[in-house]
Amino acid sequence: PRGLRLPRGARASWAGVTAFPPRRYLLYASGDFVKVHSVNTEETVGLLCGHADLVTDIQLNPHNHMQLYSSSLDGTIKLWDFMDGIPIKTFTVGSRLLALYALASAEDSVFVVIPKKGERDTFQLVSVKLTKGAGQDLEGKELSVVLDGVGASPKQIAFGREDSYVVSVKDVNLQVYFFKRKLLNRFSLSTAKTKGGDNRFSCVVCHPKEDCIATGHADGKIRLWRNFHHKKAYTYSALHWHHDIVMDLAYSLEGTRLLSGGVESVLVQWHNESSCQKDFLPRLGSPIECISMSSDGVLCCTLHTDNRITIINSNLRFSRSIQGLIKSRDVKTGLVVDPRTKALVLNGEPGHLQFYSLQSDQQLFSLDIVQRQYIHQAGLKQSDLVKVAFSARGTWLATVEESEEVADPELQLKLWFYSEETQSFALNTRINTPHDNHITDMCFRDMDELGDDSLILVTTGRDCVFKVWVMVGDSDPEAHQSVSWSCDFVGSYHNYQATNCCFSEDGSLLAVSFEETVTVWDSLTWDLKCTFCHPPGNIRNICFGRLTCSKYLIGATDYGFLCCWNLLTCALEWSAHLNVVVLQPDPLSEHIAAVSWLSKESSLFVFKPSEPWPVYIQRNLCKEKILLAAFVPRDEPEMISSEKYLWLRKSQLFFLTDTQELMTLSAKSLEERLTPSSKQLAVEESLPVTPFSVLLGKHRRQQAQEDTDLGKPVVHNRQEQASPAVKELLHTPAHVLPSASFLCTIFINSLLISKENKSAEEVADEVEMESEKAEDESDEEDVTAMEQEDTSPMELLGEMTCKLSKSQEKELRKIRKMDYSWLSAF
Amino acid sequence: IGCEDGSVKIFQVVPGGIQFERNLDRRKGRVLCLSWHPSDTHIVAGSIDFFRVIDVTSGQTVQRVMVNHHVEKAKRECVVWAIALLSSGTVVSADSFGRVQFWDWEQGTLAESHTVSTSAVLSLAVSQKEDSMIVGTSTGATYHLQLLPVRLGGLEKRWVRTKPFQFHSHDVRAVAHSPTALISGGLDAQLVIRPLMEKVQKKSYDAALRKFTFPHRRLVSCARKARLLLFQFSQYLELWRLGSTEETGKDGEVLPLCRMPEHLVQLKSKGPEHIYCSSISPCGTWLGYSTASRFQLYRVRCDGDSVSLRKVPKVPKLLPPAYQLQFSANSESLFVASARGSVHVFQLLEPGGCKHLHTLRPPSGCSEAVYLLAPSADGHWLAAVSGDWAIHIYNLKSFKHHCVVPNYDCAVSALAIHPSTNNLVIAYSDQQLFEFSIPERQYTSWSRAVQSRGLHRAWLERDSPITHITFNPKNPSHILLHDTYLLCVLDKSLPLPDDSALLMNQSTLKQLPETARKRQLHAFKICKKFQPLLFMDLLDKNCLVVVERPIMDFKTQLPLPVQQKKFGT
């Protein structure tokens, strides 16, 4: 198990599947995955997972348009059946693969860009011989260098008509290699930057039918090269519309149209290489990074810098867009979970708050907070969103925005009320300059039971005070417009800067950290109850324990200490030496996740405040620094077989690194995640009415009825489990299905109403937990001891799965003995 | 010749003129451009909205093709400004919609259409091999079109617009395609030669872009003794008297004038013809000019402030008229350069008359006209350069051919005979300099030294050729040269610079101490202060006259260029 990059849009590639003309799939690499998006249904229909690192490039297999090659930084090329989401072959190359090219003419080899050995920042284009072997995992070590000194980006290499030559551009040099004649031609442009010109190449594409190369340049020019087999008599013409770098180019299927895009967010279509005939598709929202043409030429898509894919018709009409997580300049708001939609909320477009659904990897909506026109200009001081807080039920949203001015931040605190009618947040109160200096933290009093009247908002500021804001006005909860927020209490402590605030679970206590000290306040009378501190070092994070551990207060200091104070005894319960960067409590359990940053790697520790030893340790979660983390509640508790990951049952943990990669922790290992991938292809619901579908439909309805009858979530869960068995039976391709005798029992089993019994795995889990409690560890964290502990559950895990299968077999045998004669009635 | 009334007339070229042969099929519509088929069987005529192909032998129109199809704004007329008929039977038309179109004239079908510009295409020229062409547009841009294979090694070829060039600010009215260069001339009074790098074998004079604003001819002549300057304009001449000063000053100072320069007279030529050449005698009393058909000689009389011009009667008729006029140093005779390598010598008679004295002809005969003349100061010698670049030297005492300067395969741009040594200094257009001793009939030792050593690279890579040579009477080793951009004093007594030395070192020399300056001195003393330089001559020992023609002077007189939106403005 490792930190797993979440799917986010990346270099996209098209697949117009010719076998089924009405259906088109958009394939795009997204983090470690490749996503299959159905253009017709606008849904993500598949996720190809299996790469252990960033997927750098994908290419359709030119010999079989149902197959896809993908390359990754993990040094492997995978061949997929993307319709079924099955990896067919894996070729291990060894070095990092930065780009991939699959040619129609070369059946048994592909071209990849790899870093040159022994030299930094030099790359070469090599052809990899794809050995034909029986197994799934094959070696692809037969490399032959085609071109040296190529660019690292996939856009900087292109293959010409009928794959007879390859073009590579880098800086101001263009090289063309003709495969048949083994001829290498190099052309250079002048490096001089005269009259605002900049001849550096940015991208290259080749005309599909003619010998013409189109290159994009840093000054916005597009050059069309011809006659390049002559060293001297080569010639080029220029098209110039873009005022800044041409990010990508694409030819239409016949080569009559050329598409170009850049930072202007305008897609330009050039006809017949003429600079006079061009069409524009403006206002695409954000700079275009990539343009890709579908293999049947009907659609094209553009990938934007804010992680969005736009699908565009061939007549240059905007069709639809797929919005992933917007990469904003700086995530100042932190990762916040919207209690209503369970969406991740963070900075999106400048001045906007994006609501990002993790389940669908889609942006739900973008809320304009700052409500000012954003002007793209370097050096301009912009106002941006810095803090966000939701009330417990998501009805209230508090936002803080400030301008980039360091000396005099123009602060605004805004309170938004969720309107059921409009299904969006409406501005309720705006408070100008709530604090005299930057606001460091903000939180609502989370009290589900007491309703809106008890809502309290606390803000802490660098002006050495914390302020308590309450709703005043009409007590009628329906008329929310008559309600406004105002300051109720201002607290301070020895004129220290207030850095963090946090309410206890029942809302009775408020903890505010003032530099080195944590102060605890009674939320009714606003009396200072007690103070804690753990010198030296300022308090970086604080949080209260939850549920059974609500008597504990956890704090992390700058000097690398994690402290747990008992609120009843007002004493330090335990402390550990750990450089905690992120401290995140799980709202649904006692667990608290702490992420540390030590010697260039992030490590994750999950613990309960009541126990000084961690429940879970993951060292070297990732190489990047993790800046933020959030627990997102699961819709239904996941069945987790391994005791080690029990803390992940109710919620999932997400991280955001400094490179703005969103990562999560998966309980399943890589292999486990791979096997069910065949199930993930969405079911086409529009089945024709056949006797078989009637059977299936009845089966489904039956399930639904049972759900309503019993009305218990646990049972519901059990039923849901059965349904995939049927789905699997129906949607797995026939050639990979196990024998019918094996499937029959599962199918029949799914039709039966199972008894309420505790599953074997749960029993096993309990046993495991007890055994762990029996272990007695010292208060101090011992790294080596922890590592040992780390291994033990793994062994147990093996035994457990074994046991499980045995008990299942017993059940299956029982079922076999039953009478199936009633089935004949169908 | 295509006419406004829509007719095409065929003329026959006969020795000494042209002769009308017949009229071809006349149709309605102005004929704006014509092009012959390389085999001379057909002629294509472009007019407004259509072009037609005429069979020369029958005189009948065999095809009429409308060009304004596929244009939405077809209500505007489409003017075919330029047309070309290729040997393959393809007609290339350039029209006012900015299109270059390729037609199969037999079928009357459009093969290809390139919209090269949003403004009109005005001119078109096809290379000899018919694989490349240049078009000029009204925005001043020229475009290069090439016939390129669609697939490498394939037979299918297509015309592709390749490189655009923006060298002109106004209409490009004329273009030409030489085997190695694209030549364009525009309304902005510039001639641009853009070499095709792939056709140029080695880096030489031909391999650089050349821009010409001024003709490489003498347009100003100076009467040294009378201190008069004669300016030649296209339709008139202007005579000015130079101002003078009595004060002296240091380098860089502007001295106050005691007499202002004076515009004496403007002499308009009759008829629409341009003035081809003009000259004023050193004494300032004779003035001659020649147009394409006429040669005129005037007697100038200055009586105090009033100036009178009197036409010299009974000037011998010359056919064809003069290509170059040159008065002798003593103002007693006039040399008229004429066709077939001949130079006529006129004797000027007081009070106002002239007499044909002799005609000098090269012994071997010559088909080209003489375009440059250089008489010696003592009136003994005359050097004449004809169009085949041969320099003939005549003895004026005996009116005999003296000798020929060894042939050098390059155009002569300027030449002059040294007043004291009678050495002929020759400047070629490739920037080479030669000195030829007329009495000894061989190159001087200095010239041989220059040739063996070679001139400085920066000198050879200059843009414009030397247009005038004079000598310093005070120091016989000084030769004064100038081209459009620089004035150079060539001191034969100083060593020649080598390639590592700085050629234009005058400003650095000024900062050096006396001893170091001596070491750094070399033969070329260059001043780039005057730009663009039209004329330079020594009036006397202490006085140098320099004529400058600032480019802005005539740029402002040009019509407004086509309005274009420029990004970022």
Side-chain angles (χ1 to χ4, degrees):
Chain A
R2 54 180 290 282
L4 192 68
R5 271 183 195 81
L6 272 177
R8 307 174 12 149
R11 187 173 164 89
S13 168
W14 264 98
V17 179
T18 45
F20 313 108
R23 290 188 206 168
R24 288 199 189 83
Y25 295 95
L26 167 68
L27 303 162
Y28 55 95
S30 173
D32 294 358
F33 309 105
V34 177
K35 285 196 149 191
V36 185
H37 178 90
S38 166
V39 178
N40 299 49
T41 61
E42 300 186 34
E43 266 176 33
T44 302
V45 292
L47 189 69
L48 312 182
C49 38
H51 279 296
D53 207 337
L54 201 72
V55 177
T56 50
D57 204 355
I58 54 174
Q59 290 278 325
L60 281 185
N61 186 353
H63 307 289
N64 182 351
H65 277 264
M66 308 292 280
Q67 292 179 353
L68 175 86
Y69 284 109
S70 67
S71 67
S72 162
L73 289 182
D74 66 0
T76 59
I77 302 167
K78 282 181 191 279
L79 180 63
W80 305 85
D81 182 337
F82 65 81
M83 296 289 288
D84 299 332
I86 306 165
I88 300 168
K89 296 253 168 53
T90 302
F91 303 95
T92 310
V93 178
S95 47
R96 294 189 306 139
L97 308 177
L98 295 146
L100 171 81
Y101 307 92
L103 304 190
S105 57
E107 202 155 328
D108 55 347
S109 61
V110 291
F111 292 84
V112 290
V113 172
I114 58 168
K116 195 171 183 180
K117 280 197 182 71
E119 284 178 63
R120 276 194 69 208
D121 296 331
T122 45
F123 302 93
Q124 48 191 10
L125 179 74
V126 298
S127 89
V128 179
K129 193 149 168 68
L130 301 179
T131 45
K132 286 209 170 106
Q136 241 205 17
D137 293 307
L138 296 168
E139 293 275 289
K141 300 275 184 199
E142 258 184 80
L143 307 180
S144 55
V145 178
V146 180
L147 276 177
D148 239 337
V150 300
S153 159
K155 290 185 274 189
Q156 290 179 323
I157 291 176
F159 285 82
R161 174 184 62 87
E162 286 157 17
D163 306 327
S164 51
Y165 55 91
V166 57
V167 194
S168 148
V169 291
K170 198 183 181 209
D171 295 333
V172 292
N173 303 310
L174 178 131
Q175 40 184 350
V176 189
Y177 179 75
F178 297 90
F179 289 112
K180 275 195 192 121
R181 291 154 67 194
K182 298 208 179 339
L183 172 76
L184 179 69
N185 275 357
R186 284 171 208 270
F187 307 107
S188 289
L189 296 169
S190 82
T191 47
K193 293 178 183 174
T194 47
K195 283 190 237 159
D198 188 346
N199 286 330
R200 279 176 298 127
F201 287 96
S202 58
C203 53
V204 63
V205 285
C206 291
H207 197 292
K209 303 285 175 198
E210 294 171 17
D211 285 318
C212 177
I213 301 169
T215 56
H217 295 263
D219 59 352
K221 277 204 185 83
I222 299 165
R223 284 193 170 91
L224 301 167
W225 300 70
R226 285 186 182 268
N227 233 18
F228 40 82
H229 59 299
H230 283 289
K231 265 208 151 60
K232 283 191 83 172
Y234 72 92
T235 178
Y236 58 78
S237 56
L239 307 172
H240 200 169
W241 179 84
H242 296 278
H243 80 266
D244 211 326
I245 185 165
V246 179
M247 293 297 283
D248 204 5
L249 295 165
Y251 265 112
S252 70
L253 211 57
E254 290 296 315
T256 51
R257 294 176 295 129
L258 175 68
L259 297 169
S260 65
V263 292
E264 300 89 355
S265 320
V266 180
L267 188 69
V268 186
Q269 181 172 267
W270 307 83
H271 294 276
N272 297 322
E273 302 171 12
S274 160
S275 59
C276 298
Q277 288 172 282
K278 50 183 179 280
D279 296 323
F280 303 101
L281 179 63
R283 290 183 284 278
L284 285 174
S286 55
I288 295 170
E289 230 170 36
C290 233
I291 305 170
S292 182
M293 209 72 183
S294 74
S295 57
D296 58 357
V298 173
L299 296 169
C300 86
C301 70
T302 54
L303 176 72
H304 299 262
T305 46
D306 67 351
N307 207 5
R308 187 160 48 84
I309 295 171
T310 308
I311 300 172
I312 292 156
N313 288 339
S314 56
N315 57 359
L316 219 61
R317 288 276 171 80
F318 173 83
S319 172
R320 57 187 75 96
S321 73
I322 306 164
Q323 175 73 67
L325 187 66
I326 295 177
K327 212 172 188 173
S328 63
R329 271 184 310 163
D330 192 4
V331 181
K332 292 172 183 158
T333 58
L335 288 179
V336 183
V337 179
D338 177 17
R340 176 183 305 275
T341 55
K342 305 278 187 295
L344 216 53
V345 178
L346 63 159
N347 285 109
E349 293 168 54
H352 288 240
L353 199 61
Q354 63 170 324
F355 289 68
Y356 170 76
S357 162
L358 291 159
Q359 281 75 29
S360 58
D361 180 27
Q362 271 180 351
Q363 194 190 56
L364 294 180
F365 64 97
S366 182
L367 184 67
D368 190 355
I369 300 289
V370 175
Q371 296 178 335
R372 258 185 238 171
Q373 178 75 37
Y374 183 77
I375 301 156
H376 290 267
Q377 193 183 324
L380 201 66
K381 300 280 185 208
Q382 313 274 4
S383 277
D384 207 0
L385 196 60
V386 289
K387 289 281 177 278
V388 166
F390 280 97
S391 71
R393 282 182 294 173
T395 48
W396 285 95
L397 164 70
T399 61
V400 175
E401 65 202 60
E402 61 184 39
S403 68
E404 284 170 347
E405 235 102 10
V406 182
D408 175 32
E410 284 175 34
L411 289 175
Q412 273 198 350
L413 174 66
K414 283 179 180 169
L415 285 134
W416 307 74
F417 180 70
Y418 187 81
S419 147
E420 293 286 348
E421 293 105 59
T422 57
Q423 293 284 306
S424 71
F425 285 95
L427 185 64
N428 178 274
T429 307
R430 178 184 14 224
I431 300 156
N432 285 326
T433 326
H435 282 260
D436 295 334
N437 208 332
H438 293 279
I439 289 182
T440 50
D441 203 2
M442 175 166 72
C443 67
F444 274 103
R445 185 161 74 171
D446 281 339
M447 287 173 81
D448 279 343
E449 308 86 46
L450 295 177
D452 281 344
D453 288 347
S454 68
L455 262 181
I456 290 173
L457 178 71
V458 175
T459 55
T460 59
R462 266 193 226 157
D463 55 351
C464 307
V465 293
F466 73 90
K467 291 190 180 178
V468 180
W469 308 83
V470 292
M471 271 195 286
V472 289
D474 205 352
S475 57
D476 182 13
E478 299 304 315
H480 268 289
Q481 284 313 101
S482 60
V483 169
S484 64
W485 291 74
S486 67
C487 188
D488 182 48
F489 177 75
V490 180
S492 66
Y493 181 78
H494 290 284
N495 215 17
Y496 288 135
Q497 288 188 353
T499 49
N500 291 290
C501 61
C502 177
F503 271 105
S504 67
E505 197 188 11
D506 60 354
S508 60
L509 289 175
L510 168 72
V512 181
S513 66
F514 289 92
E515 294 182 12
E516 291 189 355
T517 321
V518 182
T519 55
V520 181
W521 305 72
D522 187 331
S523 71
L524 282 174
T525 57
W526 299 118
D527 288 335
L528 181 62
K529 287 286 175 197
C530 58
T531 61
F532 301 105
C533 81
H534 193 279
N538 290 348
I539 302 292
R540 204 182 263 169
N541 289 303
I542 51 167
C543 70
F544 278 98
R546 303 240 160 205
L547 305 174
T548 57
C549 304
S550 55
K551 61 182 176 187
Y552 297 104
L553 178 67
I554 315 294
T557 69
D558 276 350
Y559 275 72
F561 277 97
L562 185 68
C563 314
C564 177
W565 293 285
N566 191 330
L567 291 168
L568 298 178
T569 61
C570 290
L572 183 72
E573 191 83 4
W574 53 267
S575 76
H577 192 64
L578 195 64
N579 183 28
V580 175
V581 181
V582 178
L583 195 65
Q584 188 67 38
D586 181 0
L588 298 180
S589 68
E590 299 94 341
H591 297 105
I592 292 173
V595 179
S596 76
W597 172 248
L598 253 184
S599 57
K600 304 250 172 196
E601 58 178 52
S602 294
S603 306
L604 171 72
F605 301 87
V606 180
F607 61 92
K608 283 185 186 178
S610 55
E611 296 159 31
W613 53 84
V615 176
Y616 174 79
I617 296 177
Q618 174 65 51
R619 293 205 176 270
N620 192 8
L621 191 64
C622 65
K623 290 278 174 220
E624 296 101 2
K625 187 174 183 179
I626 288 174
L627 297 179
L628 300 161
F631 275 101
V632 178
R634 292 181 197 275
D635 291 340
E636 288 141 10
E638 201 179 63
M639 302 306 291
I640 289 167
S641 49
S642 160
E643 180 271 343
K644 209 175 138 191
Y645 297 108
L646 263 185
W647 58 277
L648 276 173
R649 252 188 74 146
K650 287 183 180 164
S651 8
Q652 205 175 353
L653 185 59
F654 288 91
F655 310 101
L656 197 75
T657 66
D658 52 356
T659 54
Q660 293 213 20
E661 297 271 10
L662 189 64
M663 303 176 80
T664 188
L665 201 74
S666 172
K668 292 170 188 160
S669 67
L670 199 68
E671 290 73 31
E672 277 179 287
R673 278 192 288 121
L674 277 183
T675 37
S677 62
S678 59
K679 288 183 203 166
Q680 287 176 345
L681 213 66
V683 184
E684 302 285 339
E685 296 294 339
S686 57
L687 287 172
V689 183
T690 58
F692 186 68
S693 75
V694 172
L695 163 71
L696 204 69
K698 238 181 206 173
H699 177 58
R700 277 191 195 132
R701 244 174 288 138
Q702 197 183 343
Q703 270 179 26
Q705 266 179 0
E706 279 165 6
D707 285 355
T708 47
D709 287 349
L710 295 165
K712 285 178 190 167
V714 188
V715 178
H716 171 77
N717 190 31
R718 198 128 310 250
Q719 294 302 326
E720 280 292 290
Q721 277 245 307
S723 152
V726 182
K727 277 191 183 172
E728 185 174 18
L729 181 94
L730 296 177
H731 294 284
T732 311
H735 64 277
V736 292
L737 270 182
S739 66
S741 59
F742 179 74
L743 286 169
C744 185
T745 51
I746 301 170
F747 179 67
I748 297 303
N749 204 8
S750 74
L751 291 166
L752 299 174
I753 303 155
S754 59
K755 275 188 224 160
E756 264 302 308
N757 64 338
K758 222 173 190 181
S759 79
E761 67 184 281
E762 269 176 271
V763 175
D765 286 351
E766 272 178 17
V767 172
E768 240 344 278
M769 274 194 279
E770 276 163 18
S771 75
E772 201 190 9
K773 271 182 189 157
E775 280 179 274
D776 206 359
E777 289 273 337
S778 65
D779 265 18
E780 288 296 318
E781 247 191 43
D782 191 344
V783 175
T784 48
M786 288 312 243
E787 302 258 85
Q788 280 166 3
E789 193 199 46
D790 211 21
T791 53
S792 56
M794 287 293 276
E795 290 157 16
L796 287 162
L797 178 74
E799 285 173 84
M800 216 153 46
T801 46
C802 192
K803 263 187 239 167
L804 261 169
S805 60
K806 268 178 195 164
S807 62
Q808 240 176 7
E809 259 181 279
K810 266 182 206 164
E811 273 188 344
L812 287 175
R813 251 177 248 140
K814 255 187 249 168
I815 293 157
R816 260 180 222 154
K817 281 170 197 159
M818 285 174 77
D819 186 15
Y820 299 126
S821 58
W822 56 275
L823 250 178
S824 61
F826 291 109
Chain B
I1 294 174
C3 301
E4 291 272 309
D5 64 351
S7 64
V8 178
K9 295 179 165 67
I10 299 267
F11 289 83
Q12 187 141 31
V13 180
V14 293
I18 52 170
Q19 194 182 331
F20 175 72
E21 200 173 283
R22 64 204 170 96
N23 260 325
L24 298 181
D25 187 23
R26 187 183 148 189
R27 295 280 174 96
K28 215 179 154 192
R30 305 160 61 186
V31 175
L32 292 163
C33 47
L34 287 172
S35 172
W36 285 88
H37 190 268
S39 66
D40 294 347
T41 53
H42 290 85
I43 196 164
V44 58
S47 346
I48 294 164
D49 286 343
F50 68 92
F51 69 82
R52 56 202 176 103
V53 184
I54 306 161
D55 190 322
V56 176
T57 46
S58 68
Q60 294 300 309
T61 300
V62 289
Q63 183 67 269
R64 187 170 179 273
V65 179
M66 301 294 291
V67 294
N68 60 348
H69 288 302
H70 320 295
V71 181
E72 302 96 62
K73 40 195 175 181
K75 280 181 187 150
R76 249 173 61 206
E77 57 186 20
C78 174
V79 184
V80 179
W81 282 117
I83 205 152
L85 183 52
L86 307 184
S87 54
S88 60
T90 306
V91 174
V92 190
S93 71
D95 60 39
S96 58
F97 290 152
R99 296 176 303 182
V100 176
Q101 294 179 313
F102 297 82
W103 307 82
D104 182 337
W105 74 261
E106 280 170 30
Q107 312 285 330
T109 50
L110 179 67
E112 278 176 63
S113 176
H114 294 265
T115 308
V116 295
S117 170
T118 48
S119 53
V121 181
L122 297 177
S123 49
L124 183 150
V126 187
S127 71
Q128 195 76 42
K129 281 188 184 163
E130 297 190 351
D131 61 350
S132 159
M133 68 172 73
I134 174 174
V135 295
T137 65
S138 62
T139 53
T142 56
Y143 297 92
H144 189 201
L145 282 97
Q146 281 175 284
L147 187 65
L148 294 175
V150 167
R151 292 161 187 214
L152 300 181
L155 288 173
E156 194 195 342
K157 288 192 170 186
R158 224 179 57 198
W159 286 95
V160 177
R161 181 182 73 79
T162 53
K163 287 164 211 153
F165 306 108
Q166 179 85 48
F167 297 126
H168 298 277
S169 59
H170 289 69
D171 292 10
V172 178
R173 290 281 174 89
V175 287
H177 198 304
S178 85
T180 57
L182 309 173
I183 303 154
S184 57
L187 210 58
D188 59 349
Q190 279 201 86
L191 182 73
V192 176
I193 303 179
R194 171 64 168 75
L196 296 169
M197 296 313 276
E198 64 267 22
K199 301 274 167 56
V200 178
Q201 290 309 311
K202 60 179 200 296
K203 207 169 154 70
S204 66
Y205 178 81
D206 295 334
L209 174 78
R210 306 283 160 186
K211 274 191 184 183
F212 304 111
T213 314
F214 299 99
H216 294 149
R217 292 179 60 85
R218 188 167 52 86
L219 297 174
V220 180
S221 41
C222 169
R224 289 188 186 186
K225 287 166 197 154
R227 291 181 169 247
L228 296 175
L229 281 181
L230 180 73
F231 299 106
Q232 176 191 325
F233 294 86
S234 60
Q235 300 275 341
Y236 57 92
L237 298 169
E238 273 185 15
L239 191 64
W240 285 72
R241 179 177 286 134
L242 285 169
S244 62
T245 181
E246 275 142 16
E247 298 186 32
T248 51
K250 280 195 279 264
D251 184 21
E253 270 181 59
V254 177
L255 301 176
L257 290 178
C258 65
R259 211 175 79 186
M260 294 303 286
E262 198 181 343
H263 183 196
L264 295 176
V265 73
Q266 188 185 47
L267 178 64
K268 282 197 178 126
S269 82
K270 283 189 185 128
E273 284 176 326
H274 286 200
I275 294 169
Y276 193 80
C277 58
S278 64
S279 186
I280 189 164
S281 66
C283 65
T285 55
W286 298 91
L287 188 156
Y289 77 91
S290 174
T291 66
S293 62
R294 285 174 310 126
F295 161 63
Q296 305 278 9
L297 190 64
Y298 289 88
R299 179 87 177 148
V300 185
R301 270 182 207 285
C302 298
D303 300 320
D305 285 347
S306 70
V307 176
S308 70
L309 277 179
R310 198 167 56 81
K311 197 171 163 186
V312 175
K314 289 181 224 152
V315 173
K317 261 243 185 272
L318 291 171
L319 253 181
Y323 289 92
Q324 179 73 301
L325 297 169
Q326 184 75 48
F327 288 92
S328 67
N330 56 11
S331 305
E332 280 172 5
S333 47
L334 168 69
F335 307 106
V336 179
S338 190
R340 290 172 207 218
S342 59
V343 180
H344 304 288
V345 184
F346 290 114
Q347 193 180 9
L348 302 171
L349 305 167
E350 289 295 337
C354 79
K355 187 177 87 176
H356 184 251
L357 213 62
H358 197 84
T359 300
L360 303 167
R361 285 208 170 84
S364 52
C366 174
S367 58
E368 305 272 343
V370 172
Y371 71 93
L372 270 179
L373 291 169
S376 68
D378 56 6
H380 212 91
W381 309 104
L382 177 75
V385 188
S386 53
D388 57 358
W389 306 337
I391 304 168
H392 295 279
I393 296 162
Y394 301 98
N395 188 330
L396 290 175
K397 295 285 178 242
S398 58
F399 295 115
K400 287 268 171 62
H401 185 259
H402 178 68
C403 66
V404 181
V405 176
N407 199 21
Y408 182 76
D409 198 19
C410 195
V412 179
S413 65
L415 80 171
I417 298 173
H418 198 280
S420 53
T421 59
N422 273 339
N423 284 343
L424 178 69
V425 178
I426 312 157
Y428 287 96
S429 63
D430 64 350
Q431 313 295 356
Q432 288 294 347
L433 293 171
F434 287 90
E435 193 185 38
F436 183 82
S437 167
I438 294 174
E440 291 168 31
R441 305 187 190 193
Q442 59 175 358
Y443 286 124
T444 60
S445 56
W446 179 81
S447 180
R448 284 168 209 276
V450 168
Q451 285 312 306
S452 63
R453 188 170 170 144
L455 289 161
H456 194 278
R457 226 186 55 204
W459 175 267
L460 294 177
E461 284 174 2
R462 279 178 319 121
D463 244 2
S464 68
I466 298 292
T467 49
H468 194 73
I469 302 172
T470 57
F471 303 94
N472 186 358
K474 273 204 281 194
N475 189 341
S477 66
H478 280 186
I479 306 170
L480 282 79
L481 315 156
H482 86 87
D483 66 9
T484 318
Y485 300 107
L486 54 84
L487 172 69
C488 173
V489 179
L490 182 58
D491 193 341
K492 288 199 290 180
S493 60
L494 288 173
L496 287 168
D498 51 16
D499 277 356
S500 60
L502 198 67
L503 183 70
M504 272 99 149
N505 61 351
Q506 289 302 307
S507 57
T508 51
L509 281 183
K510 269 184 197 164
Q511 290 153 8
L512 288 174
E514 195 68 39
T515 48
R517 200 186 293 179
K518 281 254 168 64
R519 265 183 282 118
Q520 298 266 333
L521 277 180
H522 60 67
F524 289 89
K525 296 171 183 169
I526 292 168
C527 166
K528 294 194 83 170
K529 190 174 167 185
F530 312 102
Q531 275 183 24
L533 196 59
L534 223 55
F535 181 76
M536 175 273 303
D537 203 2
L538 270 175
L539 290 178
D540 52 48
K541 284 177 185 174
N542 296 319
C543 208
L544 183 78
V545 61
V546 171
V547 179
E548 225 180 339
R549 178 79 167 139
I551 287 175
M552 280 321 287
D553 271 13
F554 58 89
K555 279 267 153 94
T556 50
Q557 293 173 20
L558 292 173
L560 282 176
V562 175
Q563 291 284 328
Q564 268 177 298
K565 171 95 182 76
K566 210 146 196 191
F567 179 76
T569 54

